[in-house]
Structures are given as C-alpha cells and as structure tokens.
C-alpha cells in the first residue's frame, strides 16, 4: 500500500513543514524484509536530521531555499499522469566500442534489464534494485546502506528510505567482466522527486567497467529533484572503472551521496562528467581502507546560464601504502557558478601515503564564479601529499596566436576549451564517452 505524500507518517508542526519534504514512504515491504528494515531505519534518521542550510559548513556556498519542496511528488503517486517524454535513441546506444549486451534502463515507462547470458552463467548480478531485492536479498543486504549510511545527511537518508529505482552490480571472486556494463536513469517531467540507489560490489580479484548515465529533457521555469546514493565496494585485488555522466535538464535539483571503499591492493578509476542540472550538491568519498589500495578520481564539468554545481570530495587514507589522485576541471560561462571542496585525510599510521588533488577552472565570462577550496589533514609523518587549485581566464596571447593564423574568434575559443579539458579526456577509456563530452562542449559554446 502506498499512502498519499502529503504529510509524513510522524506528526510535525507547521514550522517543520516549511523545512522538510512530506513524502510518505511506501509501507509494503516491496524490497523484502531485510532491506525494508534498512529503509525504515533510514526513514527515521531522515526525520531526525536537520534540513541543510548555509549555516552548515558543507553547504555554506550552496543555498537550496528556492527549491519548492511542497510541489514535489513521487512517481508512484502520478499513476495515469506519468511524464510522456521518451528516452532518446542516442542515449540507448552503447558508449563503448563493445557490442551492446548488458544494459539497464530506468524510466517512468518501466524498467528494462538486459544482461549477457555468459555473465549470468559466471555468477555476475546486474539487475535493477527491485528485482535484486527479490532474487538476491541476502547478498544485497550485506552491503545495502553499509558504505553510505543514512546518517551521512538529510538527502542520503531520504534517498535510502525511498529509492525504488536503482542498480545492483555484483561480480564474484576472480571473475573479469571484459564487456562494459551500461545503465541509464531517465527522469522526465516536472514537480517530480526521483530517488535512486546504486550499489556496486566487486569481490576479490574481480574486475569490471560500469558506465551510468542520468538524464532528462530540458524544462523551462519548472522544478524537479533527484536524490541518490551510490555505494561501491572494491574488494582485495579487484579493479573497477566507473564512469558517471550527469546531463539532467536545467530544471533539476540534484543531490547525491557517493562513497567507494577500496580494500588491499584494490583499484578504482572513478570518472565524473557533469553538464546538466539547475543545482547539484554532490558528496564523493574515496575510502582507501586496505594497504596498497589505489584510487583515481577525475571530474569534468561545464556550466552556463545560472547553473550551480557543488562537488565535495574526500580522499581518505586509512591504511599504509595507499595512493589517491584527483583531478577536477571545469569551464564556466554566463552567470553560472561552481564550487569544489576537496580534502585529503591521512589517518594515524597510514604511512607511505601518496595523495594528490587538483582543481582547475576556466572562466569564459566575467560574471561566472568558481570557488576552489583544497585541503589537507595529515596525521602521519611519512607521506607525500600535494594539492593545488587555479581559476583563470582564457589567455589573450593564445587567442591572438590562433587569430593571427586565420582562426575565427569562436573557433579559437573552442580549441582552447577543448585543449583545457584534454588531460581529463585522456583519462576516459572510451571514445564514445569522450564524444558525448565533446558534443556537450560544442553545445555549451554555441
């Protein structure tokens, strides 16, 4: 049974009604008893946590008071008035050179699961969350909300409690998935709250490549919201390449809590691409918990209009002989704003740590703004940790050089922007993903 999302199932006063969402959690245990227990806990945590404001340090540069919370509805409430916009064909196409064979599509029209039978025969699980909870409940229960607990924040708790959309990827010990896996979350419509929960677990000495996209059509003078959780576990000796592409319409308010735990000698190559949304607040944590763990985070964003993207990253070294490498690059136009806050944390005893972080911003308009805030917290004495941040305009000498060789101003700016992003692009292993980013750059520069 699903009750109407008008008031929470716990009593709240009018003051609280102005600062909270009023969704009713689906009461029936549609995800199985064990998972429902986690969701109930998250629901209770959600009600206990305060709504974030600019008084909170993590939210000081991101004001979300303009989000019209009372206008938002769950997809399950819309029934016969579901959004009609269909998923574009180009988003269905694989972003790699491999043939299409393992893909999950999440949309209001329904959920489509496709997996290569050979992978299923090897024990690989690649399913939407509802199906995985029915068929693999005990395995899913071992990791559900264990890496990103609902206590991480108001939106983490809300997504953990209400997410019926999601992905569960599990790769057994020693299994190597050579064919990239692909999932798409399509969120059309306005005044809708979407919730997602993505769980990735690579067992010991396994490997996989996973590309996940979030997208929606553009809507004018409207609002919708997405709140999501991403939990990643890379076990001993495993290797994961994870690419996230965010191209929400510019009416979407996007809130995500993401964390990857890397065990002994495990590796992750984590790539973010952010082109859309009206506002994004993203928390991405890399927890290196085993000796020899290695993590690389690469970020790409391009904003225009009044877009506001806030990325909060953590590189947490909890074990010795661990390595992290972060590079985020962004270009900004018109009245848009980016915020990047980064921290390298080295725990006591985490000797021989090698940590690096850098954020580079290219300003294409005098009214754009970029805040770049790197940080170090080092509690060990035999480490190498460095960080850097830059905010700069296009070099006029570069423009002059290109203009003097007959290249028009717009084309010259385009070449400079493409060159600025080249180092991040080189980290992306697939031409299809690079082409998607390149197309987005061209669109932004028109």
């Amino acid at each position: 049974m699903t009750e109407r999302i008008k008031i929470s199932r716990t009593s709240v006063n009018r003051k609280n009604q102005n600062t909270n969402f009023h969704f009713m959690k689906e009461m029936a245990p549609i995800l199985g008893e064990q998972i429902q227990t986690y969701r109930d806990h998250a629901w209770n945590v959600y009600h206990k946590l305060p709504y974030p404001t600019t008084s909170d340090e993590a939210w000081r540069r991101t004001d979300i008071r303009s989000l019209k919370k009372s206008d938002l509805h769950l997809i399950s409430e819309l029934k016969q008035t579901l959004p009609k916009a269909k998923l574009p064909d180009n988003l269905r196409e694989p972003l790699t050179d491999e043939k299409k064979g393992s893909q999950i599509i999440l949309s209001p029209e329904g959920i489509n699961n496709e997996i290569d039978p050979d992978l299923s025969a090897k024990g690989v699980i690649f399913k939407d969350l509802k199906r995985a909870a029915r068929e693999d409940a005990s395995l899913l229960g071992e990791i559900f909300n264990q890496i990103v607990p609902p206590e991480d924040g108001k939106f983490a708790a809300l997504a953990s409690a209400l997410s019926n959309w999601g992905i569960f990827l599990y790769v057994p010990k020693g299994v190597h998935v050579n064919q990239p896996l692909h999932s798409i979350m399509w969120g059309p419509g306005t005044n809708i709250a979407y919730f997602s929960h993505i769980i990735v677990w690579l067992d010991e000495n396994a490997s996989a490549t996973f590309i996940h996209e979030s997208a929606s059509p553009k809507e004018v003078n409207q609002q919708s919201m997405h709140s999501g959780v991403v939990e990643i576990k890379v076990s001993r000796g495993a290797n994961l390449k994870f690419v996230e592409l965010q191209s929400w319409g510019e009416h979407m308010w996007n809130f995500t809590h993401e964390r990857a735990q890397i065990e002994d000698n495990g590796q992750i190559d984590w790539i973010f691409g952010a082109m859309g949304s009206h506002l994004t607040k993203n928390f991405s944590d890399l927890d290196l918990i085993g000796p020899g763990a290695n993590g690389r985070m690469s970020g790409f964003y391009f904003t225009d209009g009044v877009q506001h993207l806030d990325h909060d990253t953590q590189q947490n070294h909890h074990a010795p002989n661990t390595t992290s490498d972060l590079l985020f690059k962004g270009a900004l136009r018109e009245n848009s704003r980016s915020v990047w806050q980064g921290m390298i944390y080295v725990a006591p005893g985490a000797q021989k740590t090698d940590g690096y972080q850098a954020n580079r911003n290219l300003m294409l308009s005098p009214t754009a703004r970029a805040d770049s805030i790197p940080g170090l917290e080092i509690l060990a004495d035999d480490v190498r940790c460095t960080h850097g941040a830059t905010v700069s305009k296009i070099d006029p000498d570069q423009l002059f050089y290109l203009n003097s060789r007959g290249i028009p101003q717009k084309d010259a700016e385009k070449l400079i922007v493409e060159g600025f992003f080249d180092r991040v692009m080189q980290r992306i292993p697939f031409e299809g993903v690079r082409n998607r980013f390149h197309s987005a750059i061209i669109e932004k520069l028109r």
Side-chain angles (χ1 to χ4, degrees):
M1 179 183 77
T2 303
E3 299 189 19
R4 184 167 179 79
I5 55 169
K6 202 166 185 179
I7 185 169
S8 65
R9 64 178 180 182
T10 59
S11 61
V12 294
N13 58 38
R14 287 191 178 276
K15 182 178 179 181
N16 285 338
Q17 287 182 11
N18 293 328
T19 59
N20 259 312
F21 299 97
H22 310 298
F23 304 118
M24 281 301 301
K25 185 167 69 67
E26 293 183 348
M27 308 295 283
I30 58 173
L31 294 183
E33 184 175 349
Q34 183 181 16
I35 305 303
Q36 193 66 28
T37 299
Y38 291 120
R39 285 162 56 97
D40 290 342
H41 170 67
W43 182 251
N44 292 330
V45 171
Y46 157 71
H47 282 290
K48 293 177 182 178
L49 290 175
Y51 191 73
T53 71
T54 53
S55 297
D56 304 318
E57 179 58 31
W59 293 82
R60 189 156 65 91
R61 298 165 183 84
T62 298
D63 189 345
I64 58 175
R65 286 177 294 179
S66 297
L67 176 61
K68 299 175 182 177
K69 301 180 288 296
S70 61
D71 292 345
L72 298 173
H73 301 271
L74 295 175
I75 278 289
S76 58
E77 188 191 37
L78 298 179
K79 297 180 181 177
Q80 302 303 318
T81 59
L82 289 174
K84 301 300 182 183
K86 292 187 176 182
L87 178 67
D89 290 338
N90 68 304
L91 289 182
R92 297 176 184 270
E93 295 302 317
L95 289 172
T96 71
D97 297 330
E98 304 292 334
K99 65 177 183 179
K100 177 180 173 182
S102 300
Q103 183 181 73
I104 297 175
I105 298 175
L106 308 172
S107 79
E109 296 179 337
I111 297 173
N112 182 43
N113 286 262
E114 297 178 14
I115 184 170
D116 190 321
D118 292 340
L119 295 181
S120 296
K122 295 178 181 179
V124 175
I125 299 171
F126 185 53
K127 301 175 181 177
D128 73 271
L129 190 64
K130 283 186 179 181
R131 182 178 172 189
R134 292 194 305 268
E135 301 175 357
D136 309 284
S138 59
L139 189 64
L140 181 60
E142 293 184 37
I143 191 172
F144 195 94
N145 278 163
Q146 302 302 299
I147 295 175
V148 179
E151 290 81 3
D152 270 14
K154 189 80 169 176
F155 289 98
L158 189 62
S160 297
L162 297 179
S163 295
N164 286 328
W165 271 11
I167 307 291
F168 181 43
L169 168 60
Y170 172 74
V171 183
K173 292 182 181 179
V175 173
H176 300 285
V177 181
N178 297 318
Q179 181 189 82
L181 307 168
H182 186 208
S183 66
I184 305 165
M185 185 165 64
W186 176 243
T190 60
N191 298 323
I192 298 173
Y194 289 98
F195 300 99
S196 67
H197 198 149
I198 296 172
I199 298 174
V200 180
W201 180 2
L202 268 60
D203 219 327
E204 294 182 8
N205 299 310
S207 66
T209 297
F210 179 29
I211 302 171
H212 175 71
E213 296 189 74
S214 302
S216 67
K218 292 182 179 180
E219 303 286 352
V220 179
N221 300 322
Q222 299 289 337
Q223 289 187 351
S224 280
M225 185 190 82
H226 166 255
S227 181
V229 168
V230 176
E231 302 186 278
I232 301 171
K233 180 178 180 179
V234 179
S235 301
R236 182 193 304 266
N239 190 329
L240 172 67
K241 291 183 174 67
F242 184 40
V243 181
E244 291 186 77
L245 310 179
Q246 183 268 101
S247 54
W248 291 117
E250 293 182 12
H251 66 295
M252 186 72 74
W253 296 61
N254 179 41
F255 307 95
T256 54
H257 286 256
E258 312 185 22
R259 180 173 293 120
Q261 286 186 353
I262 318 301
E263 296 182 351
D264 308 24
N265 298 311
Q267 295 187 58
I268 185 171
D269 194 354
W270 196 355
I271 299 166
F272 302 83
M275 304 298 293
S277 80
H278 170 73
L279 179 146
T280 285
K281 178 63 177 179
N282 167 270
F283 295 91
S284 300
D285 294 0
L286 182 65
D287 287 355
L288 304 166
I289 62 175
N294 187 315
R296 187 169 75 163
M297 304 173 76
S298 307
F300 166 102
Y301 52 90
F302 199 149
T303 61
D304 60 8
V306 294
Q307 283 184 279
H308 181 111
L309 303 185
D310 183 340
H311 292 92
D312 193 319
T313 66
Q314 291 272 150
Q315 298 155 255
N316 299 314
H317 296 257
H318 295 288
N321 297 293
T322 53
T323 302
S324 68
D325 176 7
L326 179 145
L327 175 63
F328 271 51
K329 281 195 165 191
L332 297 90
R333 295 185 67 223
E334 301 173 336
N335 296 308
S336 63
R337 181 179 181 184
S338 72
V339 180
W340 173 78
Q341 304 177 78
M343 177 64 70
I344 296 176
Y345 169 75
V346 181
Q351 307 294 356
K352 305 296 182 182
T353 282
D354 188 350
Y356 173 78
Q357 63 178 199
N359 177 228
R360 314 294 184 197
N361 296 280
L362 185 62
M363 314 304 290
L364 303 177
S365 167
T367 53
R369 174 176 172 178
D371 295 300
S372 190
I373 310 154
L376 301 173
E377 183 178 355
I378 301 173
L379 304 178
D381 57 11
D382 185 7
V383 303
R384 182 175 65 178
C385 294
T386 55
H387 64 90
T390 59
V391 178
S392 62
K393 302 176 183 178
I394 287 181
D395 187 340
D397 290 340
Q398 293 179 350
L399 275 178
F400 177 78
Y401 177 85
L402 295 172
N403 293 157
S404 68
R405 275 145 182 81
I407 300 175
Q409 183 81 2
K410 275 198 168 184
D411 291 340
E413 289 184 358
K414 190 183 303 181
L415 284 172
I416 291 172
V417 172
E418 291 176 349
F420 170 76
F421 283 121
D422 185 64
R423 187 176 168 195
V424 173
M425 293 297 182
Q426 289 179 6
R427 294 186 175 203
I428 299 173
F430 306 112
E431 184 178 357
V433 179
R434 292 193 295 270
N435 289 341
R436 180 73 59 82
F437 282 152
H438 182 264
S439 297
I441 290 173
I442 300 304
E443 182 68 25
K444 292 275 188 180
L445 289 172
R446 284 181 178 171

